[in-house]
Amino acid sequence: DAGTEHLFYHKMASKQLQLFSSRPPSVKEEKTEHEKRQKPRLQEGPMIVCIDTSGSMVGRPEKIAKSLTMQILQTAKRKGRKCILITFSVRANVLEMTEPKHWQKVKEFMKNVFTGGTDGEDMLCEVLEALNSERWSMADVLVISDFEFYLPTAATMKRMADEQQKGTRFYGLQIGQGYAGYNRILDRIWTI
């Protein structure tokens, strides 16, 4: 305002300006059930990486999954995070990455071609079994898959929800289309 401009400069020069903060009226937002269960964690904990090795992942999805898996495992090693690698097709295979000798098994795994059907239930049971141990409690779980397998049973979904209440986060990286429904079960899914 031209009428108060002189006063403004006078107060600014003499360091007598006052600053008032005004906040808009707060609007209380209802949190969804998903937002309510998210609890902050103080540190980066262990990781459980699950990679779909079924026949539907052959080709480009397989290359993406293998590249991403190697990057995640190297990041876990660099940050000192404990890590389990679970490969799953017809059945799940668990490889704990805390031992240096297991890196040779990962290199062998990277040479294999993906084949077979998909049993996501078996993989999730292995994940939940690991989460029940003190060593892997509240681990971050990442499933890399095309998600071309059935939704888990009601009992498995209940166990997953119980782990989420404790602070475990279930993430997915979906390569391709897959089945809908996992976006309601997992905390977050990214799609390629």
Side-chain angles (χ1 to χ4, degrees):
D1 186 350
T4 60
E5 185 177 12
H6 176 71
L7 179 62
F8 171 78
Y9 287 120
H10 172 71
K11 291 214 178 226
M12 186 174 88
S14 61
K15 297 183 181 180
Q16 294 178 356
L17 284 178
Q18 291 181 335
L19 180 64
F20 296 95
S21 173
S22 63
R23 292 185 185 177
S26 67
V27 177
K28 188 171 183 177
E29 294 180 21
E30 291 262 342
K31 289 190 175 183
T32 64
E33 187 62 34
H34 177 72
E35 291 172 326
K36 287 180 186 174
R37 72 176 180 228
Q38 296 216 6
K39 299 175 186 169
R41 298 205 313 210
L42 300 176
Q43 61 184 21
E44 294 179 329
M47 296 173 21
I48 300 175
V49 180
C50 308
I51 182 169
D52 183 350
T53 60
S54 65
S56 64
M57 292 282 288
V58 171
R60 184 172 179 263
E62 178 181 346
K63 289 178 183 176
I64 292 170
K66 285 181 177 180
S67 297
L68 183 60
T69 301
M70 281 305 294
Q71 195 66 34
I72 290 169
L73 294 177
Q74 288 171 349
T75 300
K77 183 178 179 182
R78 186 177 64 248
K79 289 188 171 190
R81 293 180 74 178
K82 295 181 288 185
C83 187
I84 294 178
L85 176 63
I86 299 177
T87 60
F88 67 101
S89 178
V90 176
R91 73 183 79 80
N93 297 307
V94 180
L95 183 60
E96 192 173 316
M97 297 303 301
T98 53
E99 302 278 330
K101 64 183 178 184
H102 291 151
W103 279 94
Q104 184 60 37
K105 291 182 181 178
V106 171
K107 289 178 185 176
E108 291 170 16
F109 159 73
M110 292 297 168
K111 293 177 187 174
N112 294 335
V113 176
F114 292 179
T115 60
T118 314
D119 184 359
E121 186 73 24
D122 189 37
M123 173 267 300
L124 289 172
C125 287
E126 290 289 349
V127 167
L128 292 166
E129 191 67 33
L131 289 170
N132 279 329
S133 70
E134 188 175 322
R135 182 178 172 98
W136 300 101
S137 178
M138 287 185 53
D140 290 319
V141 180
L142 173 64
V143 180
I144 303 170
S145 174
D146 54 11
F147 289 92
E148 290 188 14
F149 51 91
Y150 294 112
L151 293 174
T153 63
T156 302
M157 282 197 268
K158 165 101 173 68
R159 289 176 64 196
M160 288 174 69
D162 291 345
E163 291 298 327
Q164 287 170 319
Q165 289 293 329
K166 294 177 189 174
T168 296
R169 298 289 166 255
F170 289 87
Y171 301 107
L173 175 68
Q174 183 174 351
I175 304 171
Q177 297 302 315
Y179 296 125
Y182 275 92
N183 56 346
R184 293 187 314 264
I185 299 168
L186 302 179
D187 292 285
R188 183 161 184 193
I189 293 184
W190 295 272
T191 305
I192 295 178

